[in-house]
Amino acid sequence: MTDLAAVKRALAAQRIETPSWAFANSGTRFKVFAQPGVPRTPQEKIADAAVVHRLTGVAPTVALHIPWDRVDDYAALTAYAASEGVGIGAINTNVFQDDDYKLGSVTNPDPGIRRKATDHLLEAIDIMDRTGSRDLKLWFSDGINYPGQDDLRSRQDRLAAALREAYDRLTGDQRILLEYKLFEPAFYATDVPDWGTSYAHCVELGERATVCIDTGHHAPGTNIEFIVAFLLRQGRLGAFDFNSRFYADDDLMAGAADPFQLFRIMYEIVRGGALDPAYGINFMLDQCHNIEQKIPAIIRSVLNIQEATAKALLVDRDALGRAQQSGDVLEANAVLMDAYNTDVRPLLAEVRADAGLDPDPVGAYRRSGYQEKIVADRVGGTQAGWGA
Ligand code: RM4
Ligand code: MN
């Protein structure tokens, strides 16, 4: 029997981090469609993130991307965020947009370029010192397009050396989240292509290095919940970049393409006791809203994750365990599907009402007048960085 009060408490305590870049313009490599009212500054991105938090109650931190969110005074930016009711979350590095990085950043054959890329990682840790951020999120676009273009194994050595330098610079509760991605922009071989590579580098580095799973960064058909279960068992799952995909790294709203997959992932999280923020997993969004309005799309993504989580919490684990133990395949599957097929929207509406929130955050956003206000106030919003 599921304890409904406990389910509601877990849902109220859930935390989801929003990405600053999702509030700004983005696009595909074919076109960036500019939207009116998008943020022009890191402060305006933070203000938008604060709106998402005020309406959902579960998104109290916003991740920054450097250099897109570079400012002179990070203490002032952190104070501004606090005044808006949010905190600065993970610091994302960007070693993929400089001409120097054509043949790689930390894995580049040129030691001077490797130095520049590694220095950027260290700069990001300096920023964490000033914002109080715990997480350094590393994603390397490094890889090669043609067999023979560079030595696969030497590139791993160069990667390990740069990671070591960054790792040794961490203090306090700071940690590294090492993200992987199967392909793109490199097409033949990527230097951190999969969770196994990320995991092996994390183990080599030490306990403060954990894997970040971006749900869009796998081959089609990959069983992501297996990766979740495995990494949790090893104590090496540090974070998610949630988004959804139909084909490759589509960066669509979490839960839009495959809500059942999101449920299966969240079930492994609940099963592993890892939903509680105290466990330390950073549940981030990493999305781009190319054609839809950004703030309500981010709110919708948060709600989709909440719905998947509520269903995962509703799984009758005693009944599931009994069915599994007795080898009752159909019953075990039915127990899981019963939870998935529950309409949890009324339950989440109650959780929001209990927290003094509008039960319908997307509707509340539309009624708030905020969209009209930013369209009027903000002229000349910037891109997140793509094509800039
Ligand atoms: C990458 C990766 C990173 C994100 C950038 C914008 O594909 O997912 O997490 O920082 O995109
Ligand atoms: Mn990502």
Side-chain angles (χ1 to χ4, degrees), residues 249-269:
D249 189 21
D250 303 348
D251 279 340
L252 300 172
M253 295 185 290
D258 190 347
F260 184 41
Q261 178 187 64
L262 187 55
F263 159 77
R264 298 190 314 259
I265 291 172
M266 293 315 298
Y267 174 70
E268 286 307 324
I269 290 292

Side-chain angles (χ1 to χ4, degrees), residues 137 179 214 217 241 286:
K137 193 171 111 216
E179 183 174 355
D214 184 313
H217 288 187
D241 269 359
D286 177 12

